[in-house]
Structures are given as C-alpha cells and as structure tokens.
Amino acid sequence: QVQLVESGGGLVQAGGSLRLSCAPSGRTFSTYVMGWFRQAPGKEREFVAAISKSGDSTLYADSVKGRFTISRDNAKNTVYLQMNSLNAEDTAVYYCAAKSPARILVSRTASAYDYWGQGTQVTVSS
C-alpha cells in the first residue's frame, strides 16, 4: 500500500554530482527505515545506502562510502541520496526502498525491504 517515487536521475559527466530524492505518494502515517539500491546492466541489484527512521544511523556499501551521503527530512517525508565524484561504475537504475513500519534495523539486504519505487536512471559518462 506504500508507493515510493524517486526523482533526480539523469546524465552526468564523470566526477560530477547528482542528488536523488525519494518520497511516498499519498498519505503516510509512519516513518520508515529507508534504503537505496541500484542495478547496472547485466548485474544484480546491489545495496547502496540505508538510513534509520530518525536519521541518526546510516549504512553504506564500500563502493560508495565517502562519495555518497544518504539523508532524510522527516518533515518533508523525503529521503535523499547525494552522489559525488561519480564514475562510470555508478551508472545504474537507482531504486528507493522502505521497510515496514515495525522494522527498525538498518540493513543492506534487499529482501528486508517491503516497498520499492520504480527506479530512476543515473548515467555517468566516462
């Protein structure tokens, strides 16, 4: 019943930056542990980053640590992924995901997330 919508994808030159946003559509009555995943052509979906309900705890894939920052603004009911120093290996469809409200642990496993967005394309030119 929770529908997520991603935005902010696009084409960027290597070394550049993008900021992705994710928000649920329609009414919501709780906050969620949120995550970002990505899937590149010919590859499996992989974990990128996750954030706790309060925003106090975050988790990152080693491949993006130090370059990407996940954050949230609960007043706006929105989670962000700031992506800096992008390279060609970051090219993928990026998916926003949310856990059921009762789930409180930040994790990197896709199966632990219950709600998914449609994805937004990020293309980094080399």
Side-chain angles (χ1 to χ4, degrees):
Q1 67 280 347
V2 178
Q3 298 184 156
L4 304 176
V5 180
E6 305 98 334
S7 63
L11 176 65
V12 64
Q13 188 175 333
S17 299
L18 284 174
R19 188 178 75 160
L20 306 182
S21 300
C22 173
S25 61
R27 300 197 311 273
T28 61
F29 299 94
S30 62
T31 57
Y32 308 87
V33 173
M34 302 291 295
W36 287 97
F37 294 77
R38 68 187 183 186
Q39 187 165 206
K43 299 180 66 177
E44 296 182 358
R45 186 174 299 182
E46 66 175 350
F47 170 78
V48 176
I51 189 167
S52 63
K53 290 185 175 184
S54 68
D56 290 340
S57 180
T58 58
L59 189 66
Y60 295 95
D62 288 343
S63 59
V64 307
K65 194 176 302 181
R67 300 188 298 121
F68 291 10
T69 302
I70 188 170
S71 62
R72 68 190 303 157
D73 185 341
N74 286 342
K76 297 181 179 179
N77 209 15
T78 302
V79 64
Y80 305 96
L81 184 68
Q82 178 67 47
M83 305 185 293
N84 299 326
S85 301
L86 286 163
N87 56 60
E89 287 69 45
D90 297 314
T91 294
V93 176
Y94 283 70
Y95 297 91
C96 177
K99 294 189 175 186
S100 298
R103 297 176 180 264
I104 63 173
L105 298 180
V106 180
S107 63
R108 62 180 71 230
T109 304
S111 62
Y113 294 80
D114 302 286
Y115 313 112
W116 294 83
Q118 293 294 111
T120 185
Q121 177 71 49
V122 172
T123 302
V124 184
S125 62
S126 59

